[in-house]
Amino acid sequence: MTFVNLKGEVVYNRKEIALNYVSGWFILDLLAALPFDLLYATCMVRNMASFTSVDILKLTRLVRLARFLQKMERFSQYSAVILSLLIIFFIFISHWLACVWFVIGRYQDGGDDIGWLEQLAILYKLPNKSFISQVDAYVTAMYFTASSLTTIGFGNVAGNTREEKIFSIIIMFIGALMHATIFGNVASIVGRMYARRAEYDKKVLDLEHFAKVHKLPKDIKHRMEDHLQTKWFFNRGLNSKIPSEYPPDLQGEISYHLNKEVLDLPLFEGLPKNLLKYLGKGIETQFAGPNEFLITKDDPLHEVWYISSGSMEVMDGDMVVAILG
């Protein structure tokens, strides 16, 4: 067991680990680990009401969700996962608040004021709120909290007593905070999910504009479009310079993996691994679409090509003399 201190160092000393845990999550973990159901069965809480401070202690288990929120950073690149987690988080918040709203309606003594459960009983033409089924009460409570958190608030379920009004105000503040944190990020998350496609669409528009401004012939324009589509099909718009951002040795490992099909040819058999990694850095991927010439006669030769995918025709005038690949 270890932990990372403020200097970014991994600490292995057991005493320091224990002190860090005691000064951090120990109290919350202790309260969250208490067997409340067992305590209810003993004389310690036998005379307590059904909703007491002991029940409130159970809420300390929710604080442990902060650990999970801290770990969500590593999943930030997975937009669909984050979006799903945010939706689940919103459902849980609505559920917890709906439970509190139900408890307020069930156990409050509003006096002359009519609470939301009393209004529901009148709507269902029941003698009093105790005749309302738990399913109907929960669905109505969930409906109220969800509509309040999303700032829709139809008003057909509203707070009438002092306790209900105070809790409604709290829900409004929580809803405003959730709009700034959860709902405000949904647009950016969805946009990130289609960022690559948006980049491709931008390149297509730039190509259209470029061809129009410079009045390119249609055949050249079509060849440019074919090349762009072929390149997008193979690499999905990924930048080939990404490995250059990493240390040299790691660059070599990446290059060797990307070009393993070429470097495993008999031509390079027997060469040291480090030399193969160095050679891999000099290999570049090129895309050639249909009706596109890779090299013509009398061109100076500066590269050696290896056909990794597809095929290539060798032309002599208008006659195909060979097909490679």
Side-chain angles (χ1 to χ4, degrees), residues 25 27-40 54-68 96:
W25 289 92
I27 300 299
L28 289 175
D29 286 344
L30 178 63
L31 293 175
L34 289 176
F36 295 102
D37 295 333
L38 184 61
L39 290 176
Y40 278 127
V54 176
D55 296 282
I56 298 176
L57 288 176
K58 290 183 179 181
L59 297 177
T60 56
R61 297 175 179 177
L62 302 180
V63 183
R64 300 171 73 180
L65 286 173
R67 293 178 178 174
F68 175 73
W96 294 327

Side-chain angles (χ1 to χ4, degrees), residues 131-183:
F131 286 88
I132 301 175
S133 67
Q134 290 188 353
V135 175
D136 290 334
Y138 173 76
V139 171
T140 306
M142 189 70 172
Y143 166 79
F144 168 74
T145 55
S147 60
S148 298
L149 289 174
T150 54
T151 68
I152 297 175
F154 294 107
N156 49 352
V157 180
N160 297 313
T161 65
R162 180 186 302 170
E163 293 84 358
E164 291 176 356
K165 290 177 181 177
I166 292 174
F167 186 68
S168 298
I169 293 172
I170 295 174
I171 290 181
M172 292 176 192
F173 282 117
I174 295 176
L177 180 62
M178 291 180 67
H179 263 275
T181 55
I182 296 180
F183 301 117

Side-chain angles (χ1 to χ4, degrees), residues 72-91:
M72 280 181 63
E73 292 280 329
R74 67 183 67 177
F75 301 109
S76 59
Q77 69 270 26
Y78 303 109
S79 302
V81 175
I82 294 296
L83 186 60
S84 302
L85 290 175
L86 290 177
I87 294 173
I88 294 173
F89 181 71
F90 172 76
I91 294 174

